[in-house]
Amino acid sequence: MNIVFEKYLLDVCEASSCKEIEVIQTLWSGYGKISRFQLEDAKCDTVVVKSISLEKASEHPRAWNTDKGHERKLRSYEVETIWYESWSSKSGPDSYMPQFIGALKEGEMQWIVMEDLNEKYPLRKNQIDLKEIKVCLRWLANFHATFMNDSPDGLWEIGTYWHLATRSEEFEKIEDAEVKAKAHLIDEKLNKCTFKTIVHGDAKLANFCFSGEGSKVAAVDFQYVGGGCGMKDVAYFLGGCLSGEDCSLHEKDLLDFYFDALSHALEERDVDFKALEKEWREMYSFACADFTRFLLGWMPSHQKINEYQMKAVREVLALI
């Protein structure tokens, strides 16, 4: 263990000793790891630490280990640190996330120390049913309501890891001529929404932790949190949880559920909800098309590029 970090961890947790007891997962492209640490004589028994190497990774699962990709990664870890330091405390119990404990940067290493969610939210799921999908949609609705109309100071100006301005290399690989020609128009349409919030930016199932009975979730991984239309999170989440056939079958019910949850979460806010819902429902297909644009350049054989998503792409292309 890094000596400087060990001293910091003991100080910030007011512990007499600490020990790494589990590597929960490695970070994408070899940028580090997320570990569980056991503490002695501290207020909590364990904490989770995100250990980040700021050196350029030599490998990438899809061979995208470029300078632009490295710069984007460094910015994402900077944003995540800012998120936990300055933003996360604003989120309430209905959009729970790990409580921030501390952050340290030393040379080419960076660490974020967070609450261990395992006691309250111990379950990680690879597949979920419609009831559990709605639990996650409720989290997203409450999250979007909390940060409605907030300016993303210190975060990504435009959230999501697939945002067009940060994915020029993938854009150049797109073979569909019409998608490539109109990608900027889709991006512009989403960015010019009247109603904006803070989006999680990577709201996939793997980033949700479920309570024991499955009725509540907490979310992790805020590297691409930033401004934008909430439909980006919703479209990305549903597209990752459901097949194209199931998306088509359940789209109306699930969007109705999300907007009902959003309406309740915004009851005390001065927001024209009817206008918001009208705009965001129209933006759902644009959000689907925006993410599919990324996949068409990044990995055109990806299973998420299905008939449902391509139908949304064609509908959007016909509108602009």
Side-chain angles (χ1 to χ4, degrees), residues 14 30 71 102 129 153 156 278 304:
E14 299 179 4
E71 290 170 7
D129 58 25
D153 299 331
W156 292 98
K278 181 178 185 299
K304 291 181 185 178

Side-chain angles (χ1 to χ4, degrees), residues 28 46 51 56 67 78 86 113 134 136 139 150 160 220 225 229 232 249 255 277 279 287-288 295 304 309-310:
W28 185 258
T46 58
S51 304
K56 183 179 178 182
D67 289 341
E78 178 186 2
S86 303
V113 185
K134 289 180 177 179
C136 295
W139 188 98
D150 282 2
T160 72
V220 297
V225 63
C229 172
K232 289 184 175 183
L249 181 63
L255 288 181
E277 181 177 5
E279 179 183 62
C288 289
L295 289 181
K304 291 181 185 178
Q309 300 295 345
M310 290 309 298

